[in-house]
Amino acid sequence: MAQGVHRSRRTFGAALVVAALAATATACSGAAAPDRAAPPVPAAGQQAPEQEAGPRAAPRSRAEELRAQRAARVLAARKWGLAKPPLEAPAPPAVKPAIGTRKGFETKSDGMPPVFTTVPTKEKIVFLTIDDGAEKDPELLRMMDELRLPYSAFLSDYVINDDYAYFSRMQKSQKGGIALHNHTLHHRYLPGLSYEEQKREICGMQDVIGKKFGKRPELFRPPYGNYNDDTLRAAKSCGIRAVPLWAAEAFPDHMEWREWDRDLHPGDIVLTHFRGKEDWDGSMADMVRRVMNVITAKGYAVAKLEDYV
């Protein structure tokens, strides 16, 4: 009996020594006791429990996003030499406005795609459109993206077929995309052609844009703004639903106006062209600076044509 007691005391004493040595080792190593128990070891074949992630940045509110966008636009305007940052366009309408043919622009056939120069709206907005595709200036894509300026391109195959890739980059250069529309295959004077010849010019360009850029357009602009009844009938047969012309035209050094008051109006369509210094006294960027200084000074913003038509 006494021998069993002595053995128990020796065992208990050894346990105390081991515990003391372990405590000393922990103290010497400088390790701190954990705030909470270590996670349990997973059983074989099970995943370890996920560790709590650190604090995440809260998502920005809509107001904060708008402030950041405005700040970026201010910096872009300075970079590109604009007198003032472009104004923000209002949200597009939930329902697109009904558009009819402008008085005096009608042809004899009923039910044709409407021909117009201004979109019916009370908002102080205008629409930028660029014709043909002769100049492939990469600076234009950067500038319009950084300024967040929407625009629509009306393309002719005879000047874009040497560099379809440029217009593919243009199409994807902005959030929401840049729309590519029909300006005929060869930019011919359409009223001088037969119905079948006009149809080949218009439907042929529909095929090119659909094949090269993935979507057949619904908007068409006749070269020089000239058309007749055959033009509209041919365009309709090719899937065209509207024919936007223009109320003003922009150049690097001046503006030209259709209306008697030589001014902008809500919903006006502004035309310019893909041109460079070989044709203009300036570059595409010079033209954008000019037209945006005029648009902004008159209190207008640039909106996306396809949101309204």
Side-chain angles (χ1 to χ4, degrees):
M1 181 72 176
Q3 190 175 7
V5 170
H6 289 315
R7 187 180 298 111
S8 298
R9 287 175 179 174
R10 284 196 298 272
T11 302
F12 178 70
L16 288 176
V17 171
V18 170
L21 289 173
T24 303
T26 301
C28 292
S29 67
D35 292 333
R36 60 179 181 271
V41 177
Q46 293 182 348
Q47 296 291 328
E50 293 185 4
Q51 300 297 310
E52 292 184 11
R56 294 181 180 179
R60 290 194 300 188
S61 67
R62 177 61 178 160
E64 289 171 331
E65 288 180 359
L66 289 175
R67 283 195 294 271
Q69 291 174 1
R70 291 191 190 103
R73 219 173 195 187
V74 168
L75 293 176
R78 291 174 184 169
K79 171 183 174 179
W80 292 104
L82 274 63
K84 293 181 179 179
L87 299 175
E88 295 283 343
V95 178
K96 294 180 180 181
I99 298 174
T101 293
R102 176 174 171 157
K103 186 176 181 180
F105 287 58
E106 305 92 343
T107 64
K108 64 182 181 181
S109 296
D110 295 328
M112 293 296 99
V115 182
F116 54 100
T117 62
T118 300
V119 173
T121 179
K122 294 181 180 180
E123 301 282 3
K124 289 198 74 173
I125 56 173
V126 295
F127 307 97
L128 283 178
T129 63
I130 313 179
D131 276 10
D132 63 51
E135 180 75 9
K136 290 91 173 168
D137 186 353
E139 186 178 54
L140 174 71
L141 305 188
R142 294 194 298 271
M143 184 180 194
M144 301 301 269
D145 181 40
E146 292 176 14
L147 291 169
R148 294 192 300 109
L149 289 175
Y151 58 102
S152 304
F154 288 80
L155 305 179
S156 292
D157 191 54
Y158 84 110
V159 287
I160 72 168
N161 60 19
D162 62 339
D163 194 356
Y164 290 125
Y166 174 81
F167 298 96
S168 182
R169 292 195 299 274
M170 174 182 290
Q171 186 182 36
K172 303 166 187 174
S173 64
Q174 291 190 27
K175 184 178 179 180
I178 299 299
L180 308 180
H181 297 299
N182 190 326
H183 199 43
T184 73
L185 287 173
H186 300 102
H187 204 272
R188 300 178 67 186
Y189 175 72
L190 295 180
L193 304 180
S194 69
Y195 172 81
E196 289 300 330
E197 288 171 324
Q198 292 197 53
K199 187 173 180 180
R200 281 195 293 273
E201 281 289 323
I202 301 168
C203 293
M205 194 61 196
Q206 292 287 90
D207 294 339
V208 169
I209 294 177
K211 180 179 179 180
K212 296 295 182 181
F213 307 110
K215 182 180 180 181
R216 291 169 64 86
E218 297 182 322
L219 304 185
F220 161 68
R221 176 174 287 158
Y224 318 107
N226 294 126
Y227 62 95
N228 59 16
D229 194 67
D230 282 346
T231 310
L232 300 186
R233 290 194 301 112
K236 183 176 181 179
S237 75
C238 302
I240 295 298
R241 60 177 181 81
V243 182
L245 298 185
W246 62 92
E249 185 170 359
F251 298 87
D253 56 348
H254 71 286
M255 297 282 293
E256 293 185 359
W257 310 92
R258 184 185 295 272
E259 309 301 340
W260 66 270
D261 58 359
R262 299 177 59 80
D263 204 356
L264 291 175
H265 312 87
D268 274 356
I269 299 170
V270 179
L271 162 70
T272 190
H273 289 82
F274 289 96
R275 294 288 185 271
K277 293 183 178 180
E278 293 181 359
D279 302 291
W280 279 344
D281 185 18
S283 66
M284 294 291 291
D286 294 328
M287 178 278 299
V288 173
R289 273 188 287 273
R290 175 75 185 190
V291 71
M292 287 312 304
N293 285 342
V294 171
I295 289 171
T296 305
K298 291 179 178 293
Y300 284 82
V302 176
K304 187 174 182 178
L305 181 63
E306 295 75 22
D307 287 341
Y308 289 76
V309 178

